[in-house]
Amino acid sequence: MALLDEIFKHLSQTVKRDDVVKKVVQLVATSAYTDNPLNLFMKGPPSVGKSYISVNSLQYWPRDDVWMLGGLSPTALVHDFGQLEDERGRRIMEGFDERNKFHYYYEESGEEVPKTEMKKARKIIDLKCKILVFLEAPQYDTYMKLRPILSHDVKETMFKFTDKSGKGSMKTITVLLRNWPATIFCTTESKFMAELIARSITVSPTEDPEKYKEANKLTGEKMAFPEIEADIVLESLKDKVSELTMHARLNRIRSLVPAAAFRYPDLPHEMPDDMRHYKQFFTLIGNSALLNMNDRPVIKYKEDKITNWFFVLPTEEDHKLFEEFYNEFGEATRAGLPKKALELY
């Protein structure tokens, strides 16, 4: 069984209905380990399950790669995810020595960092292979700092940050945001994010009484019966996903989608954004192939003694998944609106 099918079968025990949404979240997570990470916007009313689907769908991915974020402030962004480095990329730690004196030291050697080097040190926030899940909309200042990264305008952006030093005095720190993450936005009402919605895939969890009924049944079972046994299947799936992500880090892997070269007359091409969405749609096909690469044709190319290229080719199953997604959410992605709103009009 392909990995996506295994994940879907296990996930469906705890997340009822919303089959296409669950699969798309997995493909967006996969995109974090490629050169073209995707942004996903969950549209729908409160309590429809946007956060629940996201949190449960991402339990298979490496914990350090998935950042569950609330209303993220610039201060929290730097403190929680920044790593202090010198100009040569050496990691700098901070702490107290045996005399309880605060100082900075190199992580590798333990030597104290000279004051001249500290003046040129900077905080690095590396978003490569990261999946950012915004459970709440980020603060406006945070969004403006992240926007060039989220929009894929540049791979590095710099800003200044004022903070307290170990001695309590104020100091200015240079912060460098690096690389593009995959993102999932569970709260999308903030108007300042409208520009990013046009560059994103849009899905809507199902609003269906039968779904709510099944969810209540599951809740009742959890409250009525204890969970004693460890989830062996979950741990096995985590291992498989971890193996895939490690493979992607150590090698050059990308998908090739031959159909993208000739399907352009079949998909919408009336609006400027259709050019961007065309790429997104076929990226989903490629990511499906990547996630299931152990069951897909792979062309291996050795560029040199160190670099290996793996080109993964999609099969009919990946194209069927794309058709399933496009029929369900293709127009919602083009419009950047919930499916219910489109159905109304």
Side-chain angles (χ1 to χ4, degrees):
M1 184 184 295
L3 182 54
L4 178 59
D5 294 330
E6 289 187 67
I7 292 174
F8 177 75
K9 180 180 178 181
H10 180 267
L11 183 59
S12 294
Q13 297 175 19
T14 53
V15 182
K16 302 302 181 181
R17 306 293 177 104
D18 292 312
D19 293 352
V20 179
V21 177
K22 288 183 290 192
K23 293 176 182 177
V24 170
V25 171
Q26 299 302 322
L27 302 187
V28 171
T30 303
S31 76
Y33 304 88
T34 71
D35 293 333
N36 184 33
L38 295 172
N39 301 315
L40 177 67
F41 272 68
M42 294 267 196
K43 288 281 191 174
S47 301
V48 77
K50 300 186 291 291
S51 297
Y52 182 81
I53 293 171
S54 300
V55 171
N56 282 273
S57 295
L58 294 171
Q59 63 183 317
Y60 310 96
W61 296 83
R63 182 175 298 179
D64 291 341
D65 292 350
V66 181
W67 296 359
M68 296 290 178
L69 308 173
L72 187 67
S73 68
T75 304
L77 177 69
V78 174
H79 280 300
D80 294 349
F81 304 105
Q83 172 58 54
L84 198 59
E85 293 184 358
D86 68 2
E87 284 190 314
R88 289 187 284 176
R90 293 181 295 180
R91 290 168 66 109
I92 297 174
M93 310 300 291
E94 54 185 37
F96 294 89
D97 59 20
E98 62 278 0
R99 293 175 296 175
N100 204 31
K101 181 181 179 182
F102 182 88
H103 72 134
Y104 294 96
Y105 59 93
Y106 290 114
E107 180 185 44
E108 187 172 341
S109 65
E111 297 178 0
E112 187 167 358
V113 183
K115 291 183 179 181
T116 54
E117 292 296 324
M118 278 306 305
K119 290 181 180 180
K120 296 179 286 186
R122 55 193 181 179
K123 283 266 189 173
I124 306 295
I125 303 175
D126 194 346
L127 301 172
K128 185 176 179 62
C129 298
K130 301 301 179 187
I131 305 162
L132 275 55
V133 184
F134 291 92
L135 302 173
E136 300 175 21
Q139 292 187 14
Y140 178 75
D141 289 346
T142 307
Y143 173 74
M144 294 307 293
K145 289 175 172 58
L146 287 170
R147 187 176 67 171
I149 295 291
L150 301 180
S151 301
H152 295 188
D153 294 332
V154 293
K155 279 205 169 184
E156 286 190 352
T157 182
M158 186 181 295
F159 64 93
K160 300 291 184 179
F161 175 77
T162 303
D163 193 19
K164 285 186 178 181
S165 68
K167 299 178 181 179
S169 59
M170 300 302 293
K171 62 178 180 178
T172 300
I173 300 175
T174 299
V175 180
L176 183 64
L177 285 168
R178 180 180 291 162
N179 294 310
W180 300 333
T183 61
I184 298 174
F185 289 86
C186 301
T187 302
T188 59
E189 301 307 317
S190 298
K191 294 181 180 180
F192 59 78
M193 291 192 291
E195 177 188 353
L196 185 60
I197 293 176
R199 304 182 181 216
S200 307
I201 293 169
T202 301
V203 298
S204 303
T206 305
E207 298 176 50
D208 179 14
E210 285 301 313
K211 167 187 166 180
Y212 307 148
K213 180 180 178 181
E214 290 184 34
N216 286 340
K217 178 185 176 184
L218 177 63
T219 300
E221 291 173 349
K222 287 183 176 180
M223 296 179 69
F225 306 105
E227 294 183 45
I228 300 175
E229 296 183 358
D231 193 335
I232 300 175
V233 176
L234 173 60
E235 296 306 316
S236 174
L237 289 172
K238 284 182 177 180
D239 290 341
K240 291 181 180 180
V241 172
S242 180
E243 182 180 349
L244 174 69
T245 59
M246 184 62 67
H247 185 45
R249 283 185 169 97
L250 297 177
N251 299 285
R252 303 296 301 275
I253 300 175
R254 62 167 294 194
S255 58
L256 299 177
V257 188
F262 57 84
R263 285 290 303 276
Y264 59 90
D266 304 332
L267 293 175
H269 46 271
E270 291 80 23
M271 305 185 304
D273 284 344
D274 286 334
M275 294 183 289
R276 183 179 293 119
H277 295 315
Y278 188 82
K279 182 177 180 180
Q280 291 172 343
F281 293 151
F282 282 96
T283 296
L284 287 176
I285 297 176
N287 289 341
S288 178
L290 289 173
L291 183 56
N292 298 309
M293 68 178 296
N294 288 336
D295 296 280
R296 299 294 185 262
V298 179
I299 301 172
K300 183 177 179 180
Y301 169 68
K302 196 171 186 64
E303 184 175 341
D304 51 46
K305 292 182 179 180
I306 300 176
T307 307
N308 290 316
W309 276 94
F310 292 86
F311 298 100
V312 186
L313 299 174
T315 64
E316 184 180 359
E317 293 303 312
D318 303 304
H319 286 275
K320 284 182 179 178
L321 178 59
F322 162 72
E323 297 295 341
E324 187 180 359
F325 163 77
Y326 189 79
N327 292 336
E328 187 78 9
F329 296 116
E331 290 304 317
T333 292
R334 292 184 70 215
L337 294 171
K339 187 181 177 184
K340 280 284 186 180
L342 293 177
E343 290 174 349
L344 175 64
Y345 288 99

